[in-house]
Every structure is written in structure tokens, then in C-alpha cells.
Amino acid sequence: MPVTTAMSSPGNGNMLLGVMGDPIAQSRSPIMHSEALRALGISGEYVSLHITPDQLGEAVQQIRTLGFRGVNVTIPHKVEVMAYLDEVDESARDIGAVNTIVNTNGWLTGYNTDGIGYVRSLKTEVMPTLAGTKIMIIGAGGAARGIAAALLKENLSSLVIANRTADRAQELAADFSGKGSVTGISLDQFGDHLDGIEVVINTTSVGMYPCVNDTPVDTSLFHKGLVISDLIYNPLRTRLLQESLDRGCRIHSGLGMFVYQGAYALEYWTGRPAPTEVMWQTMLESLGSSCKD
Ligand code: NAP
């Protein structure tokens, strides 16, 4: 039975929100969501919660006890947290990971907004329609899984997943085989599969601060007009994106994904449209003050 809590619904006093992870000090979610709450005129707090794996079960229980309206969940808890929830939405079940929990009178539902946040960003910023396109994802980790699930809802022509560990790419492709044309290959073969590809998405952490001189693939194989997308947003312009831009490609950074995954979460919690422009601006200012771009 759901437990009734005093502060678990919007408009009922101070809205408590947060993000659980380990480590968590680096998270920019508190600053982005605090500004968003302010812009919406909602009285509330969004706090960082440093939760180690052995504390996870108790921490989820505390969402109910303390009356949090919801939390985001980040590394390393996105998969394990599902075992402690009352319900896991189809969006998160398909992916096998939760990044957003909503507390409705003590009943905890898990969602995943990473993939849909990414697709909203790609469509808003670069490609309004993805139907019929051929896309390649580099990497086969958690982020790749969320993005593949969301992209495959867009009626792509085909999806190729290229990963350093080829087995993981093939496993991911097999998991989604019922949802469209999906192939898993080794990253070494990526050049052989670029023909007809319109968007290449880096979902690995290669090139992220502080290793900004690294790049996951050889950009000399990219042609003019290709869209190169990178999930990394620190730096905003990775070496991969800069080299691709120099070759005449269109580029897309990971900042939009971060903003929109947060926007969808906020919409679940508040039931109101998220102030995405405020969230975007807050992130740019936050990154501008520390980003080593
Ligand atoms: P993950 O589950 O650990 O997966 C990492 C992936 O990167 C794996 O496919 C791994 O390949 C590959 N990889 C790691 N080092 C590599 C290297 N040196 N060369 C080639 N491939 C390498 O991580 P994740 O959770 O998917 O996150 C990946 C990235 O996405 C991170 O940079 C994260 O910050 C970013 N991200 C951004 C957002 C956003 O809002 N913008 C949201 C989520 C994640 P193997 O399988 O061979 O190990």
C-alpha cells in the first residue's frame, strides 16, 4: 500500500527534490533545477544526495519518509534502484535503467528521461525529423542503451552500434532487434559502415574533461554535411566536434540532452512545462565559469 506523505505532491508546501549518486559533488543538476524552480515560482529545494551503493535501499525509503516529491538517479545507481521502486514505467523498463523517480503519495514510479531528452535535443537543435535516417552510435554503455531505445521510436531507416568491445555492441543490437534494423559492430570497423550514415553519435566518455585531447574515432573519414553529435558537454566543444566542424560537418553537443532530460523530470514532478531557456542559460553560465573549453 502506498504510504501517504505530507509533502509529496506539488502545491503542497515546499517541494523537495534531489539527485542521488556516488560521487555527486560534480553534479550540475542542483544549480539547474534550483533556477528552474525559481523561474516557475515554486517554493522548493533540489539537493545533492551522496548515496553509496550499500545505502541505496534505505535512501529510497527516505524519499517516502521525508516527503521528497522526486529525485534524479545517477551513476552508479540507475540499474540497481529499480529493485526498490513500486513501479517502473515502460520508458525505463525498455532501457533497463531509471534516472527519475516520482513520489505520488508514497508510491514511487521510475522513469528514464535520458534517451527522450537526447532525441528532443537532436530534433530541436539539428534534425527536426529523424524518420528514414541512418544513424551510428559509438559506444554501447548505459547512455547508448537509452539513446538507442528513444531513437528506435523515430522510425529510423537503420541504426549501427560501434563499440570498442564488439560483443557489447552485438548484445545491445540483439536486445533491440525487434524494434528496427539494428547492427552491432566493432569500433575498428566503423569506417566500413559509414556509407549512407547521416548522424554519428559519440556516447563514450572519450574526450571529456580533463582528457580533452582524446577522440573516439578518426574524423578524416567524415564527409561534409554529416551530423556529429557528442553526449559530452564539458568541454562544450570536444576535439571530436571541433575536428568535425573543420571538415564541414554539422555539430551537436551534449548540453541539450542534459537540459531536456532534466526538463522532462521537472515536468513529471511539477506537472508544468519546464523553463528550458532558463535551464539552458543557467548551464551555460555554470559551464562558462569552470569549463575548460
Ligand atoms: P558507460 O556505461 O560506462 O559506457 C561507456 C562506453 O564508452 C562503453 O561503450 C565503453 O566501451 C566506451 N569507452 C570507454 N572508454 C573508451 C575508450 N578509451 N575507447 C573507446 N570506447 C571507450 O558510460 P555511460 O553512462 O554510457 O556514459 C557515457 C558518456 O555519456 C559519459 O561521457 C557521460 O558523461 C555521457 N552522458 C551524458 C549525458 C548528458 O546529459 N549529456 C547523460 C548521460 C551520459 P567498452 O564497452 O569497450 O568498455
Side-chain angles (χ1 to χ4, degrees):
M1 273 293 282
V3 180
T4 304
T5 55
M7 292 182 284
S8 60
S9 58
N12 196 6
N14 211 36
M15 187 180 290
L16 287 178
L17 301 168
V19 55
M20 288 183 174
D22 179 26
I24 200 63
Q26 81 297 344
S27 174
R28 291 177 200 268
S29 292
I31 180 166
M32 182 173 78
H33 282 287
S34 298
E35 285 303 319
L37 286 174
R38 215 186 321 274
L40 289 175
I42 293 175
S43 154
E45 308 276 345
Y46 184 110
V47 293
S48 280
L49 301 163
H50 182 206
I51 307 296
T52 54
D54 58 308
Q55 297 170 324
L56 185 61
E58 175 59 21
V60 173
Q61 181 52 33
Q62 291 292 332
I63 296 173
R64 300 185 180 93
T65 313
L66 298 176
F68 273 74
R69 169 59 177 156
V71 293
N72 284 129
V73 181
T74 188
I75 291 170
H77 305 312
K78 289 185 180 188
V79 175
E80 287 72 17
V81 78
M82 291 195 294
Y84 301 104
L85 304 178
D86 299 304
E87 188 180 344
V88 176
D89 178 75
E90 193 194 335
S91 65
R93 246 184 292 132
D94 279 356
I95 298 165
V98 158
N99 81 327
T100 301
I101 299 174
V102 179
N103 176 10
T104 307
N105 299 322
W107 182 263
L108 303 186
T109 306
Y111 297 88
N112 196 308
T113 67
D114 282 335
I116 54 173
Y118 175 79
V119 168
R120 181 163 161 192
S121 166
L122 187 64
K123 288 170 80 169
T124 307
E125 295 165 58
V126 202
M127 292 189 81
T129 174
L130 296 172
T133 54
K134 293 186 174 183
I135 296 187
M136 181 185 285
I137 292 179
I138 299 167
R145 180 171 283 273
I147 284 172
L151 285 173
L152 287 166
K153 296 205 163 101
E154 297 289 324
N155 291 320
L156 305 186
S157 162
S158 66
L159 182 65
V160 177
I161 300 166
N163 194 45
R164 178 177 62 179
T165 311
D167 287 356
R168 287 186 82 192
Q170 279 148 10
E171 277 165 31
L172 192 50
D175 287 351
F176 287 115
S177 60
K179 314 257 178 194
S181 163
V182 195
T183 318
I185 61 164
S186 159
L187 189 53
D188 298 337
Q189 302 170 280
F190 112 102
D192 306 333
H193 290 259
L194 270 180
D195 201 27
I197 296 285
E198 289 153 86
V199 186
V200 174
I201 307 165
N202 174 39
T203 74
T204 77
S205 48
V206 181
M208 189 161 71
Y209 178 79
C211 303
V212 296
N213 291 323
D214 294 347
T215 184
V217 287
D218 176 4
T219 55
S220 68
L221 299 169
F222 292 167
H223 58 80
K224 210 173 165 194
L226 187 62
V227 172
I228 306 298
S229 172
D230 200 330
L231 261 54
I232 295 170
Y233 57 83
N234 187 5
L236 277 175
R237 190 167 293 170
T238 56
R239 180 177 161 193
L240 173 73
L241 292 186
Q242 185 58 57
E243 287 185 5
S244 302
L245 188 65
D246 294 343
R247 291 186 180 282
C249 301
R250 296 158 70 199
I251 60 170
H252 172 243
S253 94
L255 183 58
M257 173 178 180
F258 186 77
V259 168
Y260 290 122
Q261 62 75 32
Y264 279 121
L266 195 67
E267 287 167 7
Y268 282 131
W269 297 324
T270 65
R272 290 173 52 185
T276 50
E277 279 181 25
V278 169
M279 295 164 81
W280 192 282
Q281 204 47 44
T282 303
M283 284 299 293
L284 276 182
E285 282 164 20
S286 161
L287 288 166
S289 61
S290 66
C291 191
K292 312 295 184 288
D293 196 4

